[in-house]
Amino acid sequence: MTTGPTGPTGPTGPTGPTGTIHDLGYKRYAGARLASSTRWAVIARHQISLAWKTWWRFKAALGLSVITLCITGGMMVFASDRKSSLGWAQGVAMQLIDTALPESIIWFCRSGFLVSLTIGATVVASDVQSGAFTFYFARSVRPRDYVIGKLVGLCALVWLVVGAGPLVIAGLRLGVADSGDQVARLLPILPKTLAIGVIATLAYAAVPLGCSALFQNRRQALAAWAAYYLIFGGMVYVLGHVASPSIAALDLPRAVQAVAYHLFDIQYRGRDPAIPLGAALGSLAAHVGVTIALVAYQVSRAQKTGVGGAS
């Protein structure tokens, strides 16, 4: 080995470092810094934008909800236009106008279930499977920011499907009223419809989100949620016919429909178990409370066993 002007050399040339470091012009971030209390809003916006990108994730369910809205509203307007010329069937037309809204709730719930399948039931499991928690917690995202952000994002999506349509129908019911006095009497249907929409939104956003936190594989989470909603829900609904009607309140769509029936004073038909209002509200509250607590626990545990994050 010989010594050259730039250092030791061998048979094949210089043996020292050959890389060159260039100044890339790094500058510190000088933009606006958001408070840590707004991190959940960033996660919520990301959840909404991700769901809106492809038609099958959210737009298909929204389209089904719009179809339900158009059919229900069309029936209401048709009955309102023909009630004066129906003679003996005028009472039937009035009954159709008054019951169209609560009867349509079960169909909006079906749209909510479609959203839960394509989005809600796989949120946490997909993040675990793809390693997204490393991204979140490496950037000091707290578990409560993640839970609140995902829940708010899902609630916004679900409300557009299960809450906005009934509210439009309620406004249409006021629009087809015969007089100003009737409008004044019908005004309470607006807060009632809003309450039903909020209840349905929480049920179809929180419960599948909790189911997704039980598994680390998105397919397993999706299968578990579908089995719980369809198989278990169908079993308790049938059991409510032969045992106590309160058992049928464990079926989420029937519990939401029961709340709508009681708020609008609709009589149960012979083929449906008469679910008490207390049982329906208790079931929905238990579902939402348990699943939110489950998501918070699972996310907190993932943070502590992962790369870490803020407290």
Side-chain angles (χ1 to χ4, degrees), residues 28-246:
R28 290 187 59 187
Y29 174 74
R33 297 184 180 274
L34 301 178
S36 60
S37 59
T38 62
R39 292 169 185 165
W40 65 268
V42 177
I43 297 175
R45 287 196 301 268
H46 176 263
Q47 179 67 47
I48 296 173
S49 63
L50 185 65
W52 189 258
K53 285 183 178 179
T54 53
W55 70 269
W56 61 271
R57 287 176 61 86
F58 175 70
K59 295 177 184 177
L62 182 61
L64 181 60
S65 178
V66 172
I67 292 174
T68 303
L69 167 63
C70 293
I71 293 176
T72 306
M75 293 174 57
M76 184 180 296
V77 172
F78 176 81
S80 175
D81 291 340
R82 297 298 182 90
K83 65 183 178 182
S84 60
S85 60
L86 289 177
W88 61 271
Q90 184 174 359
V92 177
M94 288 300 301
Q95 183 180 8
L96 176 61
I97 296 173
D98 292 330
T99 60
L101 173 56
E103 291 287 356
S104 68
I105 295 298
I106 193 70
W107 292 96
F108 285 107
C109 287
R110 291 184 172 96
S111 301
F113 174 62
L114 182 57
V115 173
S116 71
L117 283 179
T118 57
I119 303 175
T122 60
V123 169
V124 180
S126 295
D127 286 344
V128 173
Q129 189 175 5
S130 63
F133 275 169
T134 302
F135 171 82
Y136 284 118
F137 297 144
R139 283 153 177 79
S140 299
V141 173
R142 298 165 296 185
R144 61 176 176 268
D145 295 329
Y146 178 89
V147 175
I148 296 175
K150 292 294 185 180
L151 185 60
V152 170
L154 284 175
C155 283
L157 294 169
V158 173
W159 188 85
L160 289 175
V161 172
V162 303
L167 203 58
V168 173
I169 296 175
L172 184 61
R173 177 64 186 95
L174 296 178
V176 299
D178 295 329
S179 62
D181 293 338
Q182 188 179 21
V183 171
R185 292 195 303 268
L186 292 173
L187 278 179
I189 70 174
L190 291 177
K192 291 179 181 179
T193 305
L194 182 60
I196 296 170
V198 171
I199 291 172
T201 297
L202 288 175
Y204 282 90
V207 180
L209 184 65
C211 190
S212 72
L214 289 174
F215 302 91
Q216 297 184 357
N217 184 283
R218 63 186 308 272
R219 292 183 178 179
Q220 295 176 355
L222 182 61
W225 165 241
Y228 181 82
Y229 187 88
L230 297 175
I231 299 177
F232 176 78
M235 290 174 57
V236 295
Y237 175 66
V238 173
L239 190 59
H241 287 80
V242 298
S244 172
S246 298

